[in-house]
Amino acid sequence: NFAKIYSFFAKLFDPDRTTSPISSARWSANMSALDKEVVKLLAQNLELNLSNQQFRQQLLETYRQQLAPAAPAGPSARVAN
């Protein structure tokens, strides 16, 4: 069930959340054995990716590009020296 798995990860990384969804006994009761296995596999994959320096650098660069103000386009946007 993609919705439950996505919701779990969204709660896990929600900066406004004060408690971890893992500490809640409800999270496991609301998931099937297959959903729990998918969560474990996705968490292992995330751990592997985040331990890779090249992946972290690429992720950081992607976020920098997304946060950078968009440059105006077109000929009128050019600044003469």
Side-chain angles (χ1 to χ4, degrees), residues 14-28:
D14 182 359
D16 296 328
R17 193 170 171 92
T18 58
T19 61
S20 169
I22 296 172
S23 64
S24 171
R26 286 185 317 183
W27 86 270
S28 61

Side-chain angles (χ1 to χ4, degrees), residues 17 24 31-32 43 49 55 76:
R17 193 170 171 92
S24 171
M31 288 188 174
S32 69
N49 286 337
F55 177 83
S76 63

Side-chain angles (χ1 to χ4, degrees), residues 28 30-40:
S28 61
N30 292 336
M31 288 188 174
S32 69
L34 179 61
D35 290 344
K36 291 176 195 176
E37 189 63 28
V38 170
V39 165
K40 285 195 282 187

Side-chain angles (χ1 to χ4, degrees), residues 6-17 20-21 43 46 50:
Y6 182 83
S7 175
F8 172 79
F9 278 103
K11 290 174 187 173
L12 188 63
F13 294 104
D14 182 359
D16 296 328
R17 193 170 171 92
S20 169
L46 180 61
L50 292 177

Side-chain angles (χ1 to χ4, degrees), residues 2 4 17 28 33 36 42 44-45 54 58-59 63:
F2 179 76
K4 285 183 183 178
R17 193 170 171 92
S28 61
K36 291 176 195 176
L42 289 172
Q44 289 171 350
N45 187 49
Q54 183 180 1
Q58 183 179 1
L59 187 63
Y63 283 128

